[in-house]
Amino acid sequence: MTKPLAALAGAAALSAALAVPAAATTSDVPQTTTVCSPYALQAGLATYVCADRTGDQVRLYGTLALAGPPSPGTPLPYRKDVTVSLTGTAPAGTVNQYVLFTGSNQQVGGVVGTVPCDAPVRGSFSVSSYPLGADPVQLDTVIPC
C-alpha cells in the first residue's frame, strides 16, 4: 500500500507545479509619444518645439537646426550666439539660456511636469540673435497616454 500513497503524493506534487502561473513575458515599460510643432525660421535657423509624453510625465524641449545647406564659401561649423526661451503652461516652467549653435541639430531646455491624459500640452520656443528678433513656434495639443 505504500506504492499507491507514493503515486498519489507524486501526482499531487505534479498538480501543484502545474498550477503555478508562468512568468509574464511582456514588458510593462511605458511608451514615449513625441509630438512636434511645424518648424519656423528664427534668426536664420529652423526651430521647432516638441513634447515627449511617457505616462503622465511630459517633457517640452526646443530644437535648433540649419534652415538649409550653408552658402558656398561659408566656413563650417556655423557658429551663432542665440538667446533661447522655452515656455510651457502644462507642464509649467520657463527656460532661458544662451546657446552657441555650431551647425548640428541641438536640443535646448527641458521643461518637465505631470500632465493628465486628456489635458492639453502647450509650449512655445523662440530664438533671437542680434539683429534678428524672435518668431516663436507654438505647440498646443492633447497627446494621448
Side-chain angles (χ1 to χ4, degrees), residues 5-26:
L5 288 177
L8 284 175
L14 181 60
S15 159
L18 293 176
V20 175
T25 58
T26 60

Side-chain angles (χ1 to χ4, degrees), residues 36-119:
C36 295
S37 69
Y39 81 92
L41 298 177
Q42 300 182 62
L45 300 170
T47 61
Y48 48 96
V49 60
C50 296
D52 291 343
R53 175 185 282 281
T54 305
D56 62 353
Q57 292 293 305
V58 174
R59 178 178 160 277
L60 289 172
Y61 57 92
T63 299
L64 302 170
L66 284 174
S71 301
T74 302
L76 286 179
Y78 182 81
R79 299 175 67 84
K80 187 180 227 21
D81 288 311
V82 295
T83 305
V84 171
S85 179
L86 174 68
T87 304
T89 55
T94 300
V95 174
N96 291 306
Q97 67 188 70
Y98 291 99
V99 174
L100 179 60
F101 182 72
T102 59
S104 60
N105 290 7
Q106 248 178 322
Q107 277 192 16
V108 178
V111 178
V112 179
T114 302
V115 179
C117 288
D118 294 329

